[in-house]
Amino acid sequence: MDMLIKVSCPACAEMFAADSAECGHTVNCPSCSSEFQIPLQGELEVGNIIDDHIIKEFIGKGSMGLVFLAEHLLMNRQVALKTISPDQLHAEGTVDLFIKEVQNSAALQHPNIVTTYNAGCKNNIFFITMQYVDGQDLSDVVTDDHTL
């Protein structure tokens, strides 16, 4: 849900309100017209921009991360963007585990495995972008007795 956040212009220090969905976007200060990027705040939400990707929709949640449908702004390509959940970010070993996942997924190439495109950290938000495949969540496909 969008909410108003306080933003300080780095050029003139003027405080003003902005919609939280504008985090990651470049804006002009209403006082001095200086152009700057509103920093990301905690959890990502629809409309936020991270590393040339705009968040379009929340897809799901795993044990340590959140997954969003995003679009690469220059390539016009839909991607799955996975982040570490803010509540898990400071848990011991979480960042190391995420980095290991990034490295392992980047090493895999197979027609039946989604392709990893990019990974990084912006404003303390660790992310990985990968091929988006439209369809059902695996947990919805697997039956109660853990068979397909």
Side-chain angles (χ1 to χ4, degrees):
M1 174 173 221
D2 294 350
M3 61 181 200
L4 291 179
I5 58 171
K6 287 183 182 179
V7 178
S8 175
C9 173
C12 71
E14 179 72 23
M15 294 290 291
F16 63 95
D19 191 303
S20 61
E22 290 183 295
C23 290
H25 290 256
T26 300
V27 297
N28 290 78
C29 173
S31 295
C32 72
S33 299
S34 176
E35 186 177 90
F36 68 98
Q37 188 178 53
I38 298 176
L40 295 166
Q41 316 270 324
E43 290 192 38
L44 292 176
E45 59 183 84
V46 172
N48 289 169
I49 294 176
I50 182 168
D51 196 49
D52 297 328
H53 298 86
I54 187 164
I55 305 297
K56 297 297 214 174
E57 176 183 336
F58 174 76
I59 297 175
K61 180 177 178 152
S63 60
M64 73 171 190
L66 305 173
V67 182
F68 300 90
L69 172 64
E71 182 178 326
H72 191 282
L73 294 170
L74 183 60
M75 298 172 143
N76 292 325
R77 174 169 59 191
Q78 288 190 331
V79 299
L81 187 141
K82 182 178 181 179
T83 67
I84 298 175
S85 298
D87 61 330
Q88 294 292 316
L89 183 60
H90 300 292
E92 188 175 335
T94 299
V95 172
D96 291 337
L97 186 61
F98 189 80
I99 291 170
K100 190 72 170 167
E101 179 181 340
V102 166
Q103 293 169 341
N104 288 338
S105 66
L108 299 173
Q109 282 190 312
H110 189 276
N112 295 332
I113 299 174
V114 296
T115 302
T116 298
Y117 296 133
N118 191 16
C121 182
K122 299 286 183 186
N123 297 90
N124 209 31
I125 297 175
F126 289 83
F127 67 92
I128 180 173
T129 60
M130 58 194 81
Q131 180 182 2
Y132 173 71
V133 179
D134 191 19
Q136 288 182 292
D137 187 285
L138 182 60
S139 64
D140 295 335
V141 176
V142 175
T143 63
D144 290 336
D145 62 353
H146 305 292
T147 59
L148 293 176

